């Protein structure tokens, strides 16, 4: 990450054959397992942590959606969304994985200002699932002390908002608080001022120009989305793409050896008029 920052600072091309790994949200096993495995192979990791999660004030809304749906015994559920719109979920006919994906996608387009209250008062009761007042053990965060250990071991730890709500759905004040407060929490706990950030869920529609400008004013130098692509030094350093780790090892190999870049180029050429 330091090399990447330096390349942007000094307008230098990135060293060839560079690869960097990031891991988002701050779950306990990112510290307990992932950091150990990567260390074994000589790689440092870059952790983007939801600061309200490490503070144990909340656990990520997108995981709660999966948790609640998986525990529901109901088959057909009439749900009132935060906007007041009605949605019917059919757990008898539809694949649970598809339902989780689809409800998360729907919620990314709703106003997320009161999302956490809506989970407790809207989603859990509609699904007939008891609201967990404590974070369930399998969803627990790493501690701030874990985060300090990671930094001491040479890994990076950076802010990823306070609540993981989709920035583009929030008010100007909420956006500011998500960005500023998460930077402050990392600064207070890890005793350094972070200048790197990752957008929650990170599709282009999940953040907007105001967020980019706010990051810039807050001293953020590099920000990552989740649009698949290679980082190039001539790109906007506040919209750096990332590939998701694929399940298939051959796909992973194609990404790191840049075969994927060749494929993207060919696809791009195919779109050009003859
Ligand atoms: Zn995330």
């Amino acid at each position: 990450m330091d090399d990447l920052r330096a390349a942007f600072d000094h307008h230098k091309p990135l060293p060839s054959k560079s690869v960097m790994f990031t891991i988002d949200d701050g779950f306990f096993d990112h510290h307990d397992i992932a950091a150990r495995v990567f260390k074994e192979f000589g790689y440092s990791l870059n952790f983007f942590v939801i600061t309200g999660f490490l503070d144990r004030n909340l656990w990520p809304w997108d995981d709660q959606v999966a948790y609640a749906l998986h525990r529901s015994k109901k088959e057909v559920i009439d749900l009132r969304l935060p906007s007041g719109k009605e949605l019917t979920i059919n757990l008898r006919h539809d694949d649970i994985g598809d339902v989780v994906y689809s409800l998360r996608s729907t919620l990314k387009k709703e106003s997320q200002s009161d999302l956490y209250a809506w989970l407790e008062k809207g989603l859990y009761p509609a699904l007939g699932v008891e609201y967990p007042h404590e974070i369930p053990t399998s969803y627990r965060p790493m501690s701030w002390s874990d985060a300090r250990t990671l930094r001491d071991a040479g890994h990076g730890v950076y802010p990823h908002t306070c609540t993981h709500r989709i920035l583009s759905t929030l008010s100007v004040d909420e956006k500011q608080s998500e960005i500023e407060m998460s930077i402050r929490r990392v600064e207070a706990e890890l005793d350094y001022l972070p200048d790197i950030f990752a957008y929650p869920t990170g599709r282009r529609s999940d953040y907007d120009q105001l967020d980019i400008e706010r990051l810039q004013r807050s001293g953020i130098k590099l920000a990552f989305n989740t649009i698949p692509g290679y980082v190039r030094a001539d790109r906007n350093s506040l919209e750096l793409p990332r590939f998701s780790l694929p399940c298939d090892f051959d796909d992973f190999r194609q990404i790191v050896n840049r075969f994927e870049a060749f494929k993207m180029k060919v696809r791009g050429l195919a779109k050009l008029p003859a």
Side-chain angles (χ1 to χ4, degrees):
M1 190 69 94
D2 292 339
D3 293 342
L4 182 63
R5 193 201 287 105
F8 277 103
D9 278 351
H10 307 299
H11 304 287
K12 280 199 198 138
L14 293 169
S16 69
K17 297 190 177 175
S18 297
V19 64
M20 192 174 83
F21 297 99
T22 63
I23 185 164
D24 290 9
D25 297 351
F27 286 92
F28 73 98
D29 49 355
H30 298 175
H31 166 271
D32 293 0
I33 299 171
R36 221 178 51 210
V37 172
F38 275 74
K39 192 179 175 188
E40 192 181 322
F41 290 92
Y43 288 94
S44 57
L45 268 171
N46 294 282
F47 297 86
F48 289 102
V49 299
I50 304 165
T51 60
F53 183 33
L54 269 64
D55 286 334
R56 291 189 160 260
N57 292 335
L58 55 88
W59 52 299
W61 67 269
D62 24 0
D63 290 295
Q64 295 202 46
V65 167
Y67 171 93
L69 281 169
H70 277 282
R71 276 156 188 79
S72 184
K73 300 267 191 299
K74 293 197 178 177
E75 293 190 325
V76 179
I77 299 134
D78 290 316
L79 194 61
R80 188 181 288 271
L81 295 168
S83 60
K85 269 185 252 160
E86 305 274 353
L87 178 77
T88 301
I89 292 173
N90 194 325
L91 287 176
R92 187 174 41 201
H93 290 133
D94 297 337
D95 175 74
I96 181 82
D98 293 345
V99 174
V100 170
Y101 179 84
S102 149
L103 182 55
R104 282 176 175 169
S105 304
T106 302
L107 289 170
K108 285 179 188 178
K109 293 184 217 122
E110 294 270 312
S111 163
Q112 292 206 339
S113 294
D114 298 318
L115 183 62
Y116 282 91
W118 176 82
L119 291 173
E120 182 179 354
K121 308 272 192 274
L123 184 65
Y124 284 96
L127 295 175
V129 176
E130 196 183 334
Y131 175 73
H133 287 276
E134 298 280 314
I135 302 173
T137 312
S138 54
Y139 288 89
R140 69 189 183 277
M142 66 171 78
S143 66
W144 283 112
S145 157
D146 291 339
R148 277 187 285 276
T149 311
L150 291 173
R151 248 179 78 79
D152 291 345
H155 299 291
V157 182
Y158 313 103
H160 184 44
T161 73
C162 302
T163 72
H164 212 242
R165 288 177 299 170
I166 304 299
L167 290 173
S168 56
T169 74
L170 301 179
S171 71
V172 174
D173 287 349
E174 288 165 335
K175 286 167 179 294
Q176 172 164 350
S177 146
E178 287 287 347
I179 291 169
E180 275 299 318
M181 294 301 290
S182 62
I183 294 173
R184 296 292 152 234
R185 285 301 292 135
V186 169
E187 182 185 22
E189 291 290 345
L190 302 181
D191 204 21
Y192 87 103
L193 185 58
D195 58 1
I196 294 164
F197 182 88
Y199 302 99
T201 78
R203 302 168 313 163
R204 188 56 189 85
S205 52
D206 298 335
Y207 61 94
D208 57 31
Q209 195 55 34
L210 284 177
D211 300 317
I212 297 173
E213 287 162 15
R214 164 57 57 192
L215 288 175
Q216 214 159 16
R217 281 202 296 277
S218 303
I220 295 293
K221 295 273 178 59
L222 307 178
F224 292 84
N225 56 33
T226 57
I227 301 168
Y230 294 94
V231 168
R232 281 173 29 184
D234 59 356
R235 291 282 162 82
N236 180 353
S237 67
L238 294 175
E239 289 191 84
L240 298 174
R242 290 186 286 176
F243 288 99
S244 294
L245 188 68
C247 300
D248 186 310
F249 192 74
D250 287 332
D251 291 344
F252 173 71
R253 222 193 303 254
Q254 289 198 8
I255 291 170
V256 291
N257 70 16
R258 292 190 69 82
F259 187 70
E260 201 57 39
F262 171 73
K263 278 164 60 184
M264 284 171 155
K265 204 166 170 181
V266 170
R267 279 188 215 117
L269 284 175
K271 277 186 211 135
L272 290 175

